[in-house]
Amino acid sequence: MKTQMILNEIERVDSYKRYGKVDRVVGLLIEARGPEARIGEVCYIHTKMANETIMAEVIGFYEEKVLLMPYSSLQNIASGCLVEATKHSLKIKIGRSLIGKVIDSAGKMLDGSNLPKGLKEYPTEQAPPNPLERPRINEPIQIGVKAIDTMLTVGRGQRIGIFAGSGVGKSTLLGMIARNSSADINVIALIGERGREVKEFIERDLGPEGLKKSIVVVATSDQSALMRIKGAYTATAISEYFRDLGYNVNLMMDSVTRVAMAQREIGLAIGEPPTTKGYTPSVFALLPSLLERTGTSKNGSITAFYTVLVDGDDFNEPIADTTRGILDGHFILDRKLAEKGQFPAINVLQSVSRVMPEIVSKNRLNTVQNIRTVLATYNDNEELIQIGAYKRGSNKVVDEAILLQPHIMNALKQGMDENVDDQTGFSQLEQLVKRSNSS
């Protein structure tokens, strides 16, 4: 019986290698006559340089031609080069020994060294979990950032967007979360970053303490659009692998905007029509399929933080708007707060954690709501207060807001190297509310 099963399996094996030939190169695209392949399949292009092969991926078809995009540069690809089909999509090697390492989008060591031993192959493209198999989010995860743990409590397995313009502290905040969070492991994807910033983030923001429990996936801005997209898929696949082993994983992606821009490049290259602000329809199909892969599962959880780079601090631009609609909450980093020296510069009034009411006590929820009311009252009257048009004693609620607002903002302020536990941060705010009620 066993022998027959083996024979049947051997008969099913396709032992043929399929080849095609490069016909022409147009912009970012390689057009080839053959081989027989499917969308997403990895192919090897054998250049006319000795022993050089370039990995490429099938991204479409036109008439009888196969459209490919390389993972690296187009250099040395010439007309007539052989294109070999591999019959599988991109796979990477993953395992516990990868923790503490920095890799590229294809799963290779960024410093050129050999991968650790004991890793297993894992496909980068996976389907999101069945919605009915996702456990509900019912417990908080400690982030180690006061403003988040107290005012915007995150649940284990929640997906959060961090929205900000350039230079407002997104990367620094991610470094704090990586160092201070109670998650078992961090997977950090640096997508479209400047090459200079990669080492800065690893050594300054993440630090040796954060790197010890992290895997960093890097796809810099000079790499091909396909490699930038694959960086996001690789980081997500690594997170899924550890989630399936029962770990509680933090996935941090900086930034999902650059993933969308890379997909726009590919879409335009294969002839998709530009729609909203130049973004192609495939961009808005990619975002939910990528972001929905994270979250809870029956084995473990992926708590995801996606940074969204907003042009000109426009929080309603297409990618920001689409991402906000998919995720379970958003943190807005405010440039005005950053300019005042408030770090992290989270505008707690404009930010929201959608699962917070389900995972914290009523007492805490009431305290947070009281603080929000104080901050909102101050913001509504700030202009009058600043120009001296408001007279003390005119409104008791406004007087209270003027008194408490600086103390609340100071309580939410935190040094980059400071790690504050959840209860300590909340106790500080609770004392402010009690002092206000007693007066």
Side-chain angles (χ1 to χ4, degrees):
M1 182 71 177
K2 193 174 181 181
T3 305
Q4 187 59 44
M5 287 175 64
I6 294 171
L7 289 172
N8 291 340
E9 193 65 33
I10 291 171
E11 285 179 11
R12 280 197 292 268
V13 171
D14 185 357
S15 59
Y16 288 97
K17 284 191 174 183
R18 289 170 172 79
Y19 291 92
K21 281 190 175 181
V22 171
D23 191 51
R24 67 172 186 159
V25 175
V26 184
L28 304 173
L29 282 182
I30 300 165
E31 292 184 6
R33 295 192 179 277
E36 181 184 321
R38 57 179 173 78
I39 295 286
E41 185 171 327
V42 173
C43 294
Y44 292 119
I45 300 174
H46 298 270
T47 69
K48 295 181 179 178
M49 303 288 288
N51 300 321
E52 185 187 37
T53 57
I54 293 173
M55 286 175 66
E57 186 172 303
V58 178
I59 60 169
F61 305 99
Y62 178 71
E63 295 178 350
E64 295 181 4
K65 292 179 182 178
V66 178
L67 306 180
L68 302 115
M69 186 167 280
Y71 287 130
S72 54
S73 70
L74 293 163
Q75 195 173 2
N76 297 332
I77 295 176
S79 179
C81 288
L82 282 180
V83 181
E84 178 188 345
T86 63
K87 305 172 197 167
H88 61 76
S89 57
L90 181 66
K91 293 182 179 180
I92 56 169
K93 291 188 174 181
I94 311 175
R96 290 183 180 89
S97 54
L98 209 57
I99 298 171
K101 308 294 189 219
V102 183
I103 61 173
D104 65 11
S105 302
K108 297 174 183 175
M109 296 290 290
L110 198 65
D111 60 6
S113 61
N114 294 326
L115 283 168
K117 294 181 179 178
L119 305 179
K120 63 176 287 187
E121 276 199 337
Y122 196 79
T124 59
E125 295 194 28
Q126 303 277 345
N130 186 312
L132 295 179
E133 292 180 359
R134 287 183 185 266
R136 290 179 62 180
I137 298 170
N138 53 19
E139 62 174 317
I141 180 172
Q142 183 165 314
I143 301 301
V145 179
K146 281 192 290 185
I148 296 173
D149 286 334
T150 55
M151 301 293 293
L152 301 159
T153 310
V154 174
R156 197 178 297 280
Q158 188 174 352
R159 300 162 307 151
I160 292 288
I162 300 174
F163 294 73
S166 55
V168 188
K170 297 185 302 299
S171 298
T172 308
L173 178 59
L174 287 183
M176 282 183 70
I177 294 171
R179 293 193 309 272
N180 302 342
S181 168
S182 62
D184 301 322
I185 180 173
N186 302 308
V187 180
I188 303 168
L190 303 178
I191 311 297
E193 289 285 342
R194 304 175 188 91
R196 172 187 62 81
E197 292 179 335
V198 172
K199 200 166 186 180
E200 277 185 14
F201 175 83
I202 292 169
E203 293 183 356
R204 185 191 65 192
D205 298 330
L206 189 58
E209 184 186 343
L211 186 60
K212 274 194 296 188
K213 65 169 190 175
S214 302
I215 298 170
V216 184
V217 181
V218 176
T220 51
S221 57
D222 61 298
Q223 292 182 291
S224 68
L226 193 59
M227 281 295 268
R228 279 175 269 149
I229 291 174
K230 290 301 171 185
Y233 277 87
T234 294
T236 306
I238 294 170
S239 303
E240 289 169 322
Y241 172 82
F242 284 103
R243 177 179 65 184
D244 292 344
L245 292 179
Y247 285 81
N248 293 311
V249 184
N250 270 356
L251 170 63
M252 286 167 272
M253 191 176 294
D254 186 17
S255 73
V256 75
T257 307
R258 294 193 177 109
V259 176
M261 288 177 173
Q263 181 60 39
R264 178 174 63 182
E265 284 183 43
I266 293 174
L268 292 172
I270 62 174
E272 276 191 83
T275 52
T276 313
K277 285 201 172 179
Y279 287 101
T280 56
S282 62
V283 173
F284 301 102
L286 175 140
L287 289 174
S289 67
L290 176 65
L291 304 183
E292 284 290 344
R293 287 170 60 180
T294 55
T296 57
S297 79
K298 57 187 177 183
N299 298 319
S301 67
I302 302 173
T303 307
F305 298 89
Y306 298 98
T307 68
V308 181
L309 185 64
V310 289
D311 292 333
D313 293 340
D314 176 14
F315 293 96
N316 294 314
E317 58 95 27
I319 300 305
D321 204 37
T322 302
T323 308
R324 191 165 49 236
I326 298 167
L327 299 176
D328 308 317
H330 53 270
F331 301 159
I332 304 294
L333 300 189
D334 193 327
R335 192 175 298 279
K336 288 182 180 177
L337 289 177
E339 289 168 353
K340 291 176 183 176
Q342 182 80 22
F343 182 83
I346 300 173
N347 188 322
V348 294
L349 290 177
Q350 294 180 15
S351 306
V352 65
S353 170
R354 288 180 181 157
V355 304
M356 184 176 176
E358 306 294 326
I359 59 174
V360 300
S361 65
K362 286 187 178 179
N363 173 55
R364 174 170 288 209
L365 211 55
N366 290 336
T367 301
V368 168
Q369 191 54 54
N370 289 337
I371 292 169
R372 279 179 169 270
T373 302
V374 169
L375 294 176
T377 302
Y378 183 87
N379 279 9
D380 289 344
N381 296 276
E382 186 174 15
E383 286 188 15
L384 293 175
I385 296 164
Q386 294 296 335
I387 64 174
Y390 175 77
K391 293 183 180 179
R392 295 270 178 116
S394 303
N395 187 312
K396 186 179 177 181
V397 176
V398 178
D399 288 345
E400 184 182 306
I402 294 171
L403 181 67
L404 286 179
Q405 193 267 353
H407 295 293
I408 292 170
M409 297 307 291
N410 191 55
L412 296 177
K413 192 181 288 187
Q414 185 172 342
M416 296 177 195
D417 299 320
E418 190 181 355
N419 184 359
V420 181
D421 69 86
D422 171 34
Q423 194 54 48
T424 303
F426 179 70
S427 296
Q428 292 176 356
L429 293 175
E430 196 173 31
Q431 290 302 317
L432 290 173
V433 172
K434 286 179 179 176
R435 187 169 59 179
S436 167
N437 292 337
S438 62
S439 60

